[in-house]
Amino acid sequence: MNHNPQSSDGKHDDDSALSDFLASLMDYAPTIPDELVEHYLAKSGFQCPDVRLIRLVAVATQKFVAEVASDALQHCKARQAAVVKDKREKQQKDKRLILTMDDLSKSLREYGVNVKHQEYFAGSPSTGIDPASREE
Amino acid sequence: MSHGDVKSTRDTIKSENQQRLSPGRLKADEFGRAVSKIAVAQICESVGFQGFKESALEALTDILVCYLCDLGRNASFHANLAGRTECNLFDITRALEEWEASHGFPSASDIGHCLVGSGTVREIIRFVGSEEETPFAQPVPKFPIHIPTWLPAFPDPHTYIHTPMWNERASDPCADKIEQGRQRRKAEKALLQLQQRLVCNGSSGTSASLATDAEKEKVQGGESNPFLAAPLQPGEKDVSLVVSPAKLTDEARKGDHVSMLEPFAPAIEAMKGGPSDGGKLHLPEKRAAVHFKFRTGKKILGEPLDLGLQKKGERGTTAFLRNEERDDKKRRAEFILRQTTEFPMELNQS
C-alpha cells in the first residue's frame, strides 16, 4: 500500500505522459465526430466544457469498437480458414471479409453483451416439424 | 473501397439516411444513429473488413450508442459522488475501469494507486499511438437541437420573432397636396354631374322641384324652422321663383350658408352650354362666394374646391361680386400658404 519514492517518480512520468497525451489529442481527429459524442454525453448527463475530454471519450469508444470488430475479424478469418481447408475451389469467392451477425455475436459475448440473432424465420407454423425433410 | 454487395457504400448510406430524414419530422435520434453508423463502418473498414451485413452494422451502431451513453452516465455518477457537477479526467477513468473490469486491463489489481497511472488510459494512449488517424468521412453539421415528436409544434415564427419594420411610404407634402386637390376636384365633378342629372330630371317636368328647392333654400337662408313652414302648392311659386334666388343668394352670402342648387348653377351652365329654362337664366348671374363644408375635419379641404368653383364661375360676374371674389381669392391664397408652412403634418395625414 505504501507508495515508494520511485512510484512518485513514476507518477510524475504518468502525469507528464497524460498531459502530453491530452495535448496530442487536439491534433488527432477521432473517427467518431465530436458533435456526435457531445450529443450522446449530454443526453446522459455528462457535463464538461473541455474538448480534450470529449476527444478522450471518443477515442475510448473507438478503441472499444475496434476491438470488437477485430475480434469478429478473427472469427471470420478462422471460419474461412476452416472452410478453405475443405473446399479449395471456393477460395476465390471467400476472400472477402464480411462482418456477419454470427461473428459479431461471438465476439460481443466476451464483452458481456448478448446479441442473439434469429437463426431462421419460419414461414409457417409447420416449418421444422419434420427434420428428415430438412437439408443439411 | 466497396463494402460488397451485401451493403451499400458509405455515400449511399448517407444519402439514404438523408432521404429517410427529410420526409416528415425527425424520429427520435435518427440523425445521431445515421452518423454513428457511418463512423462504425469507417472503424470496421480500418480494422480490415471489406463488407458488412446490414443487421450486423445496425447492431454495432447500437453498441456504440449504448457505450457512449453508459460512459457518460458513469462518469457523471462519479462526479456527483465527489460532489461535483462537471466531470473531469478521473471520472472518465473510473468509468472506463468499471467497463474494463470484466475484461481485464493492466494494473487492474493495483488498489489505491493514482488514477493517473491507470492502465486503461495507458491502453488508450497506446491505441492512439498505434492507430493511424482516420477522421470522419463526411463533414458533420452542428447537431440539430432535437425536439421530441410528441411535443406540440412551435407556433409560426412571425408570432414570436420581432423583425424590424420599415415605413416604406415616402411622404412628399407638395405631391400629397396636389393629389388631394385632384381627388377633391374629381369628387366635385361627380357631384356636379349628379346634380345636373337631378336638375334635368326635375326641370323636364314642372318647375315644382325647383320651387321646392328654392323654398328649401329660402327656408334655410331664413333660419326659420322648416317644419313649421306651410307646404307649397305646386305651381304656386312660379313667379317668385325668378326673384327668390336673388334674395336667397344675398342671404346666403351674408349668412354664409350652403345652398343646394346655387353653387352648382355656374357649373351646370358651363356644362349645358346655355340655359334651357327660364329659371336658370338668372342663376348664372349670381356669383356667390360659396363655402363648401364637406365636413371631413380638415380646414384645407374646402379651399381648393372653392378655388376651382370660382375659376369656373369667372365668366359674366358682376363688378360687385368680383371684388368680393378677389378678396376671397387673396384670403384663400394666404390661407393655403399658411397651411403649407405651419401645418405640414396635416397634409401628410390624409
Side-chain angles (χ1 to χ4, degrees):
Chain A
M1 297 310 173
N2 283 340
H3 283 284
N4 305 337
Q6 68 186 21
S7 68
S8 64
D9 290 342
K11 218 199 302 185
H12 286 173
D13 286 342
D14 286 335
D15 273 339
S16 55
L18 203 57
S19 45
D20 288 342
F21 169 65
L22 287 174
S24 71
L25 263 183
M26 293 314 296
D27 300 329
Y28 181 83
T31 310
I32 305 169
D34 282 344
E35 290 92 353
L36 183 75
V37 175
E38 267 181 37
H39 170 70
Y40 283 117
L41 288 180
K43 256 182 139 181
S44 46
F46 182 96
Q47 206 174 351
C48 186
D50 200 352
V51 186
R52 299 176 299 174
L53 292 181
I54 306 286
R55 289 263 167 101
L56 179 67
V57 171
V59 164
T61 316
Q62 186 180 344
K63 173 172 163 290
F64 173 73
V65 174
E67 279 174 7
V68 170
S70 61
D71 281 350
L73 192 71
Q74 301 304 319
H75 284 117
C76 186
K77 279 188 181 159
R79 197 158 35 85
Q80 266 185 17
V83 166
V84 163
K85 237 190 287 179
D86 297 340
K87 301 168 187 177
R88 297 227 175 233
E89 58 269 20
K90 297 231 175 129
Q91 197 177 359
Q92 304 300 318
K93 199 169 101 180
D94 286 341
K95 249 197 182 152
R96 298 186 61 110
L97 298 162
I98 295 177
L99 175 69
T100 59
M101 221 30 217
D102 256 345
D103 302 330
L104 192 62
S105 62
K106 278 186 206 154
S107 59
L108 279 173
R109 181 76 62 82
E110 296 166 20
Y111 285 90
V113 183
N114 193 7
V115 183
K116 265 283 168 79
H117 186 58
Q118 268 285 33
E119 292 189 15
Y120 60 87
F121 293 97
S124 65
S126 58
T127 310
I129 283 177
D130 193 6
S133 61
R134 229 190 324 165
E135 199 178 349
E136 278 297 318
Chain B
M1 179 184 276
S2 72
H3 285 282
D5 47 355
V6 299
K7 191 75 192 75
S8 43
T9 59
R10 207 172 300 125
D11 296 317
T12 354
I13 297 172
K14 186 86 172 181
S15 61
E16 77 185 20
N17 285 334
Q18 277 166 354
Q19 277 165 24
R20 249 208 308 266
L21 291 174
S22 42
R25 287 178 78 168
L26 217 63
K27 292 210 184 63
D29 209 24
E30 238 183 60
F31 181 71
R33 283 187 56 83
V35 173
S36 331
K37 206 194 257 193
I38 299 169
V40 161
Q42 268 189 277
I43 295 170
C44 294
E45 195 187 17
S46 69
V47 165
F49 276 106
Q50 285 152 351
F52 318 93
K53 287 255 183 211
E54 179 89 33
S55 51
L57 195 64
E58 298 247 337
L60 209 48
T61 313
D62 276 339
I63 302 283
L64 181 130
V65 170
C66 281
Y67 189 85
L68 272 175
C69 291
D70 263 353
L71 200 57
R73 206 170 30 237
N74 265 334
S76 70
F77 166 75
H78 284 293
N80 293 338
L81 203 59
R84 286 178 276 111
T85 51
E86 277 191 9
C87 307
N88 62 14
L89 175 68
F90 301 117
D91 300 325
I92 298 172
T93 317
R94 278 202 193 278
L96 283 171
E97 284 195 347
E98 259 187 60
W99 260 98
E100 303 282 322
S102 55
H103 205 78
F105 58 92
S107 75
S109 53
D110 293 349
I111 38 173
H113 70 283
C114 180
L115 271 179
V116 174
S118 165
T120 43
V121 184
R122 267 186 269 138
E123 295 257 303
I124 293 173
I125 296 171
R126 208 184 46 192
F127 172 78
V128 170
S130 62
E131 272 300 301
E132 57 180 72
E133 187 174 325
T134 45
F136 195 66
Q138 313 247 352
V140 181
K142 189 79 178 78
F143 243 75
I145 303 161
H146 176 63
I147 299 160
T149 49
W150 42 267
L151 285 177
F154 270 135
D156 290 333
H158 72 267
T159 55
Y160 59 87
I161 289 174
H162 178 262
T163 49
M165 232 171 51
W166 305 104
N167 190 5
E168 295 288 345
R169 204 162 45 120
S171 56
D172 181 17
C174 298
D176 282 350
K177 200 169 139 255
I178 291 165
E179 183 63 28
Q180 229 175 59
R182 192 180 65 81
Q183 282 174 0
R184 300 277 147 57
R185 277 194 286 279
K186 252 172 73 178
E188 174 199 326
K189 206 158 90 177
L191 266 172
L192 284 172
Q193 282 175 347
L194 173 67
Q195 270 293 333
Q196 185 197 1
R197 240 178 281 130
L198 287 173
V199 163
C200 282
N201 292 341
S203 64
S204 61
T206 57
S207 52
S209 57
L210 280 172
T212 37
D213 288 342
E215 182 58 36
K216 276 188 209 147
E217 289 162 26
K218 185 182 179 182
V219 160
Q220 279 170 11
E223 286 180 319
S224 56
N225 201 342
F227 300 108
L228 295 177
L232 280 175
Q233 300 302 319
E236 194 184 348
K237 289 271 184 170
D238 214 22
V239 177
S240 60
L241 172 69
V242 179
V243 182
S244 56
K247 274 199 219 150
L248 179 64
T249 47
D250 290 339
E251 285 169 2
R253 223 183 307 122
K254 284 176 206 151
D256 254 13
H257 285 289
V258 179
S259 46
M260 251 179 42
L261 254 185
E262 218 230 348
F264 297 112
I268 292 166
E269 188 228 299
M271 273 192 256
K272 283 181 106 176
S276 58
D277 226 346
K280 286 232 168 52
L281 268 169
H282 299 273
L283 291 174
E285 289 176 6
K286 318 293 176 274
R287 295 282 176 264
V290 182
H291 295 271
F292 264 86
K293 286 176 181 54
F294 273 91
R295 299 279 169 241
T296 50
K298 298 230 191 282
K299 272 194 208 168
I300 192 75
L301 295 178
E303 309 308 332
L305 279 168
D306 289 331
L307 277 172
L309 265 185
Q310 283 180 349
K311 283 197 187 101
K312 277 193 204 164
E314 206 94 56
R315 298 163 265 160
T317 53
T318 59
F320 180 87
L321 286 165
R322 199 173 281 160
N323 289 335
E324 273 208 34
E325 215 184 326
R326 235 182 271 128
D327 290 339
D328 239 15
K329 269 195 192 170
K330 225 193 287 180
R331 248 194 302 124
R332 209 98 45 233
E334 283 171 21
F335 182 69
I336 288 164
L337 275 168
R338 243 190 304 121
Q339 286 272 331
T340 49
T341 49
E342 286 176 17
F343 306 103
M345 290 312 293
E346 263 187 275
L347 300 173
N348 296 337
Q349 278 168 13
S350 59

